[in-house]
Amino acid sequence: MTAPATTAPLRAFIRLGRPKFLFQSMLVVALGGTIAVHSGHQAQLGGYLLTLAFAWCTHLMTHYCNEYFDLEADRANAVPTSWTGGSRVLVDGALRPVVSLGAAFALLFAGMLLLALLPDTTTRLIAVAITALAWFYTAPPLRLNYRGLGEISCALVLYGFGPLLACLVHAGTIGATGIAGIAVVCGFQFLRMAVMNLSDIEGDEATGKRTLAVLLGAAGLRALYAGGQLAIHAAVVLLLITGVLPVVAGLLVLVTGAVPAWVARQLAAGAMAVPARANAVTFWASMHMPLTAAAITAGLLVDLTARSGAQWQPWFAVCLLTFALFGGWFATAVRAHRTA
């Protein structure tokens, strides 16, 4: 029995949206909610689901938008990896570019509807900032990732404003521990995006896309990544010493530092010039982000449990389910990566 004629276009459309990255925004929402719970507030299931729906909608919108407006740069990229250079669906001609743009607009409007349901003016304004930065990451007239501002805008959208929004939906406020945790993951995301753009440097240079990799050059970008990682890990140690970050959360972040240390060594050894090694570098640079978000979330939950006498809270079930979903996908992704 032959498959329906719509199967191939549907699969291409799903692949175009790159849904594997949604695990990152799922963990971001869990992190923000955990910050609120850790500070003594009760997480609300409705607020969690609304924030997650907005995060996923905006995340997918960004992917479809980028696929359309980055098409020229993706076509010029002769050595994409599994994690950079776009989905290749439009490059390969599997779907027309207008499909991607139409999906981006549909998700933009859906996100605006979800935004209107947020509880107060502050959360709505943060959501507006997230939407604007996400859309203009590649879309004109701002095209932030074409002007050396893509790395910082992506960091702010996903790992800065993202967990902040999730926290404020539940708590309405945020303390020093939450700000510190968000600052750490936001800084790591900035460095991770710099590495991702380093992988695409040749195609970006050819099409006038001025990312940090293009502006700084490969050597400058490698120095930025290594120096930035050292600075953020030193800051984590300081936050631990001063008690701003709970001990378990800080130690787990330091343990995940083995991943960027490996990435930095590979960059210094010229791994980006070898396609298979470049794929490994971008894979683990990407995985460092959800692993760090999970580390801080788990550390805050352990600290909360120790302080509250191991009292069960419904939020723990949400986080356990999040960890289980991410863990299952992560194990599958690592196996697939090793096989490739």
Side-chain angles (χ1 to χ4, degrees), residues 67-106:
E67 290 284 330
Y68 179 82
F69 290 109
D70 255 352
L71 182 54
E72 183 183 0
D74 290 343
R75 282 173 173 161
N77 189 346
V79 285
T81 71
S82 299
W83 300 88
T84 63
S87 68
R88 317 306 289 177
V89 170
L90 300 185
V91 173
D92 295 339
L95 292 173
R96 293 181 299 155
V98 69
V99 173
S100 190
L101 183 62
F105 272 114

Side-chain angles (χ1 to χ4, degrees), residues 103-131:
F105 272 114
L107 288 162
L108 172 63
F109 297 142
M112 296 300 288
L113 290 175
L114 293 169
L115 181 157
L117 300 176
L118 289 169
D120 54 42
T121 301
T122 300
T123 53
R124 292 185 198 116
L125 287 175
I126 293 172
V128 168
I130 289 173
T131 303

Side-chain angles (χ1 to χ4, degrees), residues 138-151:
T138 52
L142 299 184
R143 308 199 82 182
L144 296 169
N145 201 31
Y146 285 70
R147 304 174 189 273
L149 298 172
E151 294 83 358

Side-chain angles (χ1 to χ4, degrees), residues 127-164:
V128 168
I130 289 173
T131 303
L133 287 173
W135 182 265
F136 291 116
Y137 179 70
T138 52
L142 299 184
R143 308 199 82 182
L144 296 169
N145 201 31
Y146 285 70
R147 304 174 189 273
L149 298 172
E151 294 83 358
I152 187 62
S153 63
C154 183
L156 287 173
V157 165
L158 189 54
Y159 284 94
F161 292 145
L164 177 62

Side-chain angles (χ1 to χ4, degrees), residues 143-212:
R143 308 199 82 182
L144 296 169
N145 201 31
Y146 285 70
R147 304 174 189 273
L149 298 172
E151 294 83 358
I152 187 62
S153 63
C154 183
L156 287 173
V157 165
L158 189 54
Y159 284 94
F161 292 145
L164 177 62
L165 174 65
C167 175
L168 294 182
V169 164
H170 300 293
T173 186
I174 186 170
T177 295
I179 293 172
I182 291 174
V184 167
V185 292
C186 188
F188 281 144
Q189 173 69 354
F190 171 78
L191 296 175
R192 175 247 175 177
M193 287 306 300
V195 169
M196 307 306 273
N197 283 333
L198 178 60
S199 178
D200 296 338
I201 188 170
E202 293 183 3
D204 292 345
E205 284 182 324
T207 54
K209 187 176 177 182
R210 296 171 62 79
T211 63
L212 277 185

